[in-house]
Amino acid sequence: MRRTIDCSHMLSMEIHVKGPQDQSPTRQFVSSFATGERIDGLVVILSQNDLIFDNMHIHFLGEQSTSIPSNTPSKAHHQVIKLVQDIDPSTLPNPKVFQKGRRYNIPFSFEVPDYLPASSCPHSAHPLIKAAHLHPPPSIGEAAIAGFGGKLRDDLAPEGCKTVYSIYAKLERPNITTGLQETIIERILKVRIKPLAGDVPLPDVPLGSLADDYSLYQEGNIQDSKSKSPTGQLAVTLEQPECFWLPLRDPISLISKAVRLFFVYTPSNPQATLPVEPPDLKSLRAQIVATTLYTTKFDDTQPPPKQRNFFNRPINFRDAELPISIPSLPRLRWTRDETGVETGAGPSYTATLLVPVTLPMEKKLVPTFHSCLISRIYSLSFQLSVHGSSSTFRLRAPMQIAAERDPSALPSYNASVGVIGELNESDL
Ligand SMILES: [Zn+2]
């Protein structure tokens, strides 16, 4: 059993980290690091009395926790990474007594790995899923550190769903009567971690039933507004957007991409003598949907399917909708296509619409990720209505967000130091 005897009234212990570009260790509001970067810092100890200790530990920890409140609530905790600092004995007092009024600086240095140890993911039966889970997930769900740079921003994580990285320091000494090690002081400093991707974004993992949310193509009948008789058929195709790359250390740039919608209108009566006008847009709405999915079971299908309760409310996911601003309703520029005329099918009309999609700056969109307990996926959805059709065209495509890495930096495996992955699942 872990024992603690609080000596924090007798000594102070603070964790100071250098920012990635800082030279001096300072205690910052939020320290943000990317995978492949080094977290250097000091544990500073100041004692008000002479204080005997036995062991000092400094760890870099990455932990996930999820909880699903329901009639049968369940919780899970998963340590994705634990790096152990080898403490230089010359930085500690000898004999092991912190002297009254003296300041002790104990340095640490951790490299945030690009890959987690294989032991941190139990999903060995699914190589693609395991490969995705061995990328460190980004910090998520901890409001005190969510954001970019010094700014705090909502990262759209549902409640009870967190990935937290921290520097953890503790001092121990043996109990006078039992001889067992007791913690006399411990401190935690949370740091923000952002995983970077290389030239290629993460591999696509099979999404199972989640893929049913996507629809890249829809057809609908068009009617004459007065007579209500059918005049033709409209088909709309949404082009799947390319990966949105978050630039390296640049919180200011707008991240934007033009996404295409293709329209084909086929008049129903090709022999009609009167010119057939293809329909125009009546409305166009678009949004990015940030979906966070989570589970408390390691043996669940990965990523877990969306579950809803009796009242159709989400149980294990949150769909956060972020509207995309479209300043004015665009006009479709139709081109007459004569290809079908020779075959007797008649002409058709085609149009392409380019919609600029900009990632919202006021929210923190963490890169797409899949991990043992939590996944974040994004999709881009459009709702459009056209003159002559009573139904709405709803299209939704998967979209990926990845963070750029410095092309000159080599991936870090960090396999040689004490990397431990532990599983710890508990149901309440
Ligand atoms: Zn896993």
Side-chain angles (χ1 to χ4, degrees):
M1 197 180 77
R2 187 169 165 236
R3 296 173 59 89
T4 302
I5 173 165
D6 185 15
C7 287
S8 57
H9 58 289
M10 294 170 71
L11 86 166
S12 74
M13 182 160 82
E14 286 191 353
I15 302 170
H16 297 217
V17 297
K18 285 185 198 173
Q21 286 110 29
D22 278 359
Q23 294 305 310
S24 60
T26 51
R27 191 145 187 248
Q28 295 175 335
F29 183 48
V30 180
S31 298
S32 187
F33 296 89
T35 49
E37 286 181 336
R38 196 164 269 288
I39 307 175
D40 291 320
L42 295 173
V43 176
V44 178
I45 292 171
L46 199 60
S47 186
Q48 274 112 51
N49 294 89
D50 288 354
L51 192 85
I52 299 170
F53 73 101
D54 197 22
N55 288 313
M56 173 155 198
H57 302 275
I58 309 175
H59 300 159
F60 170 66
L61 300 175
E63 293 168 298
Q64 286 195 320
S65 58
T66 50
S67 96
I68 296 182
S70 68
N71 292 338
T72 52
S74 69
K75 285 186 176 184
H77 173 262
H78 177 41
Q79 189 171 80
V80 294
I81 191 162
K82 177 181 176 182
L83 302 179
V84 178
Q85 173 68 43
D86 227 351
I87 297 175
D88 177 358
S90 71
T91 60
L92 295 172
N94 186 14
K96 290 183 172 174
V97 180
F98 289 114
Q99 288 173 12
K100 182 182 174 181
R102 255 191 80 179
R103 176 188 158 115
Y104 297 88
N105 292 335
I106 298 105
F108 60 83
S109 182
F110 295 107
E111 188 172 7
V112 186
D114 286 291
Y115 298 98
L116 299 172
S119 58
S120 79
C121 167
H123 296 105
S124 300
H126 310 282
L128 258 181
I129 286 166
K130 180 152 184 153
H133 288 188
L134 293 184
H135 289 265
S139 299
I140 193 169
E142 181 68 57
I145 57 163
F148 197 105
K151 290 227 167 70
L152 293 181
R153 287 180 198 159
D154 179 9
D155 62 15
L156 309 167
E159 228 173 278
C161 184
K162 283 182 185 186
T163 301
V164 176
Y165 292 90
S166 58
I167 305 292
Y168 171 74
K170 75 168 172 180
L171 286 175
E172 289 176 335
R173 74 175 177 202
N175 181 284
I176 299 164
T177 47
T178 63
L180 294 171
Q181 290 287 342
E182 288 178 331
T183 300
I184 50 176
I185 191 167
E186 60 185 347
R187 289 289 179 264
I188 293 171
L189 179 71
K190 289 170 186 164
V191 289
R192 188 193 298 145
I193 299 295
K194 179 170 82 165
L196 306 184
D199 300 340
V200 282
L202 290 178
D204 284 333
V205 309
L207 290 177
S209 60
L210 296 174
D212 299 344
D213 284 352
Y214 302 131
S215 164
L216 299 177
Y217 177 83
Q218 194 179 331
E219 288 180 346
N221 290 324
I222 305 297
Q223 298 174 334
D224 181 79
S225 55
K226 289 188 188 120
S227 68
K228 301 293 177 201
S229 56
T231 57
Q233 197 172 51
L234 179 68
V236 189
T237 307
L238 169 62
E239 176 191 53
Q240 187 169 331
E242 288 176 8
C243 180
F244 285 75
W245 288 95
L246 306 174
L248 193 68
R249 295 192 197 98
D250 181 1
I252 299 156
S253 298
L254 285 176
I255 301 144
S256 202
K257 219 172 253 306
V259 176
R260 286 183 183 82
L261 284 158
F262 301 105
F263 297 81
V264 178
Y265 175 66
T266 314
S268 45
N269 183 4
Q271 271 73 48
T273 45
L274 290 169
V276 189
E277 284 298 312
D280 236 333
L281 283 180
K282 211 154 65 177
S283 70
L284 174 65
R285 287 195 300 129
Q287 59 267 114
I288 293 169
V289 185
T291 302
T292 316
L293 288 141
Y294 53 103
T295 174
T296 55
K297 304 267 185 284
F298 288 96
D299 54 358
D300 248 8
T301 318
Q302 279 291 329
K306 287 179 174 176
Q307 294 167 19
R308 292 177 185 274
N309 66 10
F310 180 73
F311 303 102
N312 210 30
R313 296 207 182 99
I315 292 176
N316 68 333
F317 71 97
R318 178 185 173 195
D319 275 338
E321 294 190 355
L322 309 166
I324 293 164
S325 124
I326 298 171
S328 59
L329 185 65
R331 260 187 83 84
L332 295 177
R333 296 176 189 280
W334 291 101
T335 306
R336 189 177 155 103
D337 184 346
E338 299 286 339
T339 324
V341 175
E342 290 169 17
T343 61
S348 59
Y349 296 81
T350 60
T352 302
L353 191 64
L354 277 171
V355 183
V357 173
T358 303
L359 300 189
M361 293 291 280
E362 68 283 4
K363 301 288 182 195
K364 167 66 182 165
L365 299 186
V366 300
T368 303
F369 74 93
H370 294 281
S371 65
C372 289
L373 294 178
I374 307 167
S375 286
R376 164 63 63 82
I377 56 174
Y378 294 94
S379 54
L380 184 60
S381 84
F382 286 89
Q383 296 87 45
L384 36 102
S385 60
V386 292
H387 289 283
S389 172
S390 53
S391 54
T392 304
F393 289 77
R394 296 176 193 279
L395 299 145
R396 185 159 168 175
M399 72 177 252
Q400 197 170 356
I401 298 179
E404 261 173 17
R405 66 175 288 132
D406 181 351
S408 65
L410 291 171
S412 148
Y413 289 86
N414 218 332
S416 56
V417 274
V419 184
I420 307 161
E422 284 173 16
L423 300 180
N424 177 7
E425 181 185 358
S426 60
D427 289 339
L428 287 179

